[in-house]
Amino acid sequence: MPEPVPPAAHKQELFAQALRSATRELEARTEELGVLRELGALFERSADLERLISYALAEVFRRSRAQNASVLLARDQGEELVLAVAGSRGDRAPAYYGPEGHPRHMFALGEGVAGWCAAAGEPALLERAAEDPRFVPIPGGVPVGSLAAFPLVAQGRCVGVLNLSHPEPGGLDLHNARFWTILASHLAVAVSHALLFEEVRRANRRLEAQVRERTRRLEKANRELAQARAELEAQNRSLQDRVAARTRELEAAMEELQVQNLRLEEANRVKDEFLNNINHELKTPLNAVIGYAGLLLQELGPGLDPEHRTDLELIAANGKHLQAILENIFCLMDIEAGTLEPEREALDLNELISAAVRSVRPRAAEKGLELAFEPMDVPPVPADETLVLRVLYNLLDNAVKFSDRGTIRVRTRTARIDPQNPSAPEPPAAGGVTAAVVEVEDQGRGIRPEDVDRVFQKFHQAEPPTKKTEAGSGLGLTIAKNLVELHGGRIWVRSEPGVGSTFSFYLPLEAN
């Protein structure tokens, strides 16, 4: 039997063994701290992402039994992990794919062990990887028996994952997880700074490219500006010469215009004097002709044969027609001179229209036309009787002149009118004026659409007269328009070629 070891010697042996173990542990921790200091110094000095990660993987292989190691970086706001660096023990240098990662090795957040590690922010230590439900084998990848994944967390944000693996189950020395966790935390800060530096560098490159492009454009713009300035100065000199020549021409033209203006003023004065004389010289004999024709028809009518009676009626009718033309001419002169003011009084519009219809009916009958008046109740209208009667005569004369068949209808009504759109079929939703509306509808040849807007222009006829009875001064509708507007109303026309025309106007029931 072996000799029993004295208790004191046994205690000393145990103490020595514990001391040796603590010394080895201390030496290991000291070495780890030295490595971490070196890594920290490197991480602080360098912003080269490839160099940082490659050095970290080299230390992983030196300090562990890992056969394969890789670093995945977060992308797209941390929703995706991409393979940035991968290497195996014995490789001359790990494969570096950069921040954009390997195109065929991408993992969604929460996918596989690395995805779980990034999502949870905690290490994953798998003694037997194949038995862990989080493990997802990669087709064509290195065999994995045991696996360790450490999140790279900097400032509360996961920037990537450090992976270590061994092809055999239990092959990794997982008891060094504390060291690897510290290494991962240092690496996370370094990677975060490197990525930020890389982003700044890329932004700087973009900015430099933009500055170069902007400089190139500015230089080009300056050249173009200098060329444009030279051209502009040349054009300016040419323009000054042309302006000087044009000014001389204008001065000469102004002198000629002043002479012409004096001549026109004199011609206008002579015209007014001539028209006043014509008015006096024509009205007196014309009134005599009309009066004597009427007197002869009244006194000798029953004894005259039809031919002589027709001649006297023709004399009276043509005399009145000529009188109407003269009155239109002098009425237009007063309108254009601004001297015509309506003398408003309360008019019975239906009675006034009845008188106008009776006066025009003989001329309509001569052409075989019916002239019908269809009145409705209309309140008294504040208007000038003479001027409104002239409007009616002109519209009726126009309807008779351009109609060869059918019936001319005159209608009155009261309506709510939109002054901006008086021809609208529906009354305005709000606003408008209450007015008396007069419509003169014929079944003549109508007006072409392109002529509708011009029929109220002075001396304008939609088409050249085809018959002697259609000839006129071209002033009737112009005068009608001006007289209606003088009362605060509006006039308009609806027409269809071959069907007929309807001229309408309204007079407000309240004087403006």
Side-chain angles (χ1 to χ4, degrees):
M1 292 184 62
E3 222 176 278
V5 179
H10 179 65
K11 289 180 180 179
Q12 288 178 356
E13 179 63 25
L14 291 175
F15 180 76
Q17 289 178 1
L19 183 60
R20 285 194 296 272
S21 176
T23 301
R24 287 194 299 271
E25 180 71 18
L26 182 60
E27 288 173 349
R29 294 291 176 265
T30 302
E31 185 180 357
E32 289 177 1
L33 288 175
V35 171
L36 292 174
R37 260 198 313 272
E38 290 177 12
L39 285 173
L42 173 65
F43 293 164
E44 289 178 0
R45 290 195 309 271
S46 176
D48 187 333
L49 186 63
E50 180 180 6
R51 184 183 176 193
L52 291 172
I53 298 180
S54 299
Y55 186 82
L57 292 189
E59 286 301 319
V60 164
F61 289 132
R62 191 169 69 88
R63 302 287 304 173
S64 73
R65 294 200 302 268
Q67 295 298 309
N68 302 289
S70 62
V71 172
L72 291 84
L73 296 180
R75 195 174 67 175
D76 293 338
Q77 305 298 321
E79 295 298 321
E80 186 178 56
L81 293 172
V82 295
L83 180 63
V85 176
S88 299
R89 184 181 295 275
D91 286 349
R92 188 169 183 179
Y96 179 70
Y97 304 108
E100 296 302 317
H102 193 285
R104 292 190 301 276
H105 291 80
M106 293 179 289
F107 306 91
L109 188 67
E111 180 186 3
V113 176
W116 178 90
C117 181
E122 298 177 4
L125 306 176
L126 281 64
E127 189 79 29
R128 297 180 177 278
E131 298 175 4
D132 195 295
R134 294 170 294 180
F135 176 70
V136 178
I138 299 175
V142 297
V144 177
S146 55
L147 175 67
F150 300 90
L152 305 181
V153 179
Q155 296 180 345
R157 184 172 65 92
C158 182
V159 297
V161 175
L162 171 63
N163 281 331
L164 287 72
S165 70
H166 193 282
E168 299 296 333
L172 273 180
D173 42 345
L174 297 181
H175 60 275
N176 283 332
R178 179 177 172 275
F179 170 73
W180 297 336
T181 301
I182 297 173
L183 174 64
S185 66
H186 283 278
L187 183 59
V189 174
V191 167
S192 177
H193 289 172
L195 290 174
L196 181 60
F197 183 79
E198 180 65 24
E199 180 62 29
V200 170
R201 190 159 47 193
R202 283 199 298 267
N204 189 52
R205 286 196 295 268
R206 287 195 301 268
L207 184 60
E208 288 176 351
Q210 291 174 1
V211 168
R212 287 194 298 271
E213 178 64 18
R214 185 72 58 84
T215 302
R216 185 188 65 79
R217 291 182 182 177
L218 286 175
E219 289 173 350
K220 180 181 178 183
N222 284 335
R223 290 193 299 271
E224 293 175 350
L225 185 61
Q227 182 180 354
R229 186 183 293 113
E231 293 175 356
L232 186 61
E233 289 174 353
Q235 291 177 1
N236 190 42
R237 289 191 295 271
S238 174
L239 185 60
Q240 287 176 351
D241 295 339
R242 291 168 60 188
V243 167
R246 186 62 176 162
T247 300
R248 291 191 294 272
E249 294 174 2
L250 287 175
E251 289 173 350
M254 284 294 294
E255 293 176 0
E256 178 65 22
L257 188 61
Q258 289 174 356
V259 173
Q260 293 293 337
N261 191 46
L262 292 174
R263 291 176 182 171
L264 285 174
E265 289 177 355
E266 178 62 19
N268 194 50
R269 185 190 64 78
V270 172
K271 180 204 72 172
D272 290 343
E273 185 177 339
F274 172 75
L275 287 176
N276 286 330
N277 290 336
I278 288 293
N279 184 33
H280 178 71
E281 295 297 332
L282 286 180
K283 269 191 174 180
T284 302
L286 189 58
N287 287 335
V289 169
I290 295 171
Y292 279 116
L295 187 61
L296 287 172
L297 282 170
Q298 183 178 355
E299 293 186 356
L300 302 178
L304 290 174
D305 58 72
E307 183 179 353
H308 288 159
R309 183 177 181 83
T310 300
D311 290 340
L312 284 175
E313 289 175 348
L314 187 60
I315 290 171
N318 286 335
K320 289 180 180 178
H321 183 62
L322 181 57
Q323 186 181 50
I325 291 175
L326 288 173
E327 288 174 351
N328 278 341
I329 291 173
F330 289 105
C331 180
L332 184 61
M333 287 176 59
D334 291 339
I335 290 172
E336 291 180 342
T339 58
L340 190 61
E341 277 294 330
E343 296 181 3
R344 301 177 189 271
E345 56 179 328
L347 296 182
D348 185 334
L349 191 59
N350 286 335
E351 184 178 335
L352 196 65
I353 293 173
S354 296
V357 167
R358 285 194 300 271
S359 177
V360 176
R361 184 169 277 126
R363 286 191 56 213
E366 288 177 5
K367 297 185 67 175
L369 302 171
E370 291 288 332
L371 187 53
F373 178 35
E374 302 170 359
M376 294 182 65
D377 290 337
V378 176
V381 179
D384 187 310
E385 179 178 349
T386 303
L387 300 183
V388 174
L389 198 57
R390 187 176 301 282
V391 173
L392 295 170
Y393 278 141
N394 284 338
L395 293 181
L396 289 170
D397 179 71
N398 194 70
V400 171
K401 187 187 301 181
F402 293 101
S403 297
D404 294 318
R405 60 180 175 79
T407 302
I408 298 172
R409 301 182 185 278
V410 183
R411 292 184 285 267
T412 58
R413 58 187 173 89
T414 303
R416 195 75 181 164
I417 297 291
D418 180 1
Q420 303 303 320
N421 187 19
S423 61
E426 299 294 331
V433 296
T434 304
V437 181
V438 180
E439 297 175 349
V440 179
E441 178 188 322
D442 64 54
Q443 295 176 325
R445 59 186 178 184
I447 305 169
R448 295 175 303 188
E450 61 268 25
D451 289 321
V452 167
D453 292 335
R454 296 184 292 170
V455 294
F456 295 106
Q457 295 177 5
K458 188 165 54 175
F459 304 122
H460 176 79
Q461 288 190 336
E463 294 179 2
T466 57
K467 301 177 183 178
K468 193 177 292 186
T469 55
E470 294 179 358
S473 63
L475 297 176
L477 293 178
T478 302
I479 291 171
K481 177 179 182 294
N482 280 276
L483 294 180
V484 169
E485 291 177 353
L486 205 59
H487 285 82
R490 293 280 298 279
I491 188 169
W492 66 96
V493 60
R494 296 191 305 273
S495 186
E496 184 177 346
V499 176
S501 304
T502 300
F503 285 85
S504 307
F505 69 90
Y506 78 82
L507 298 173
L509 292 178
E510 295 181 3
N512 294 329

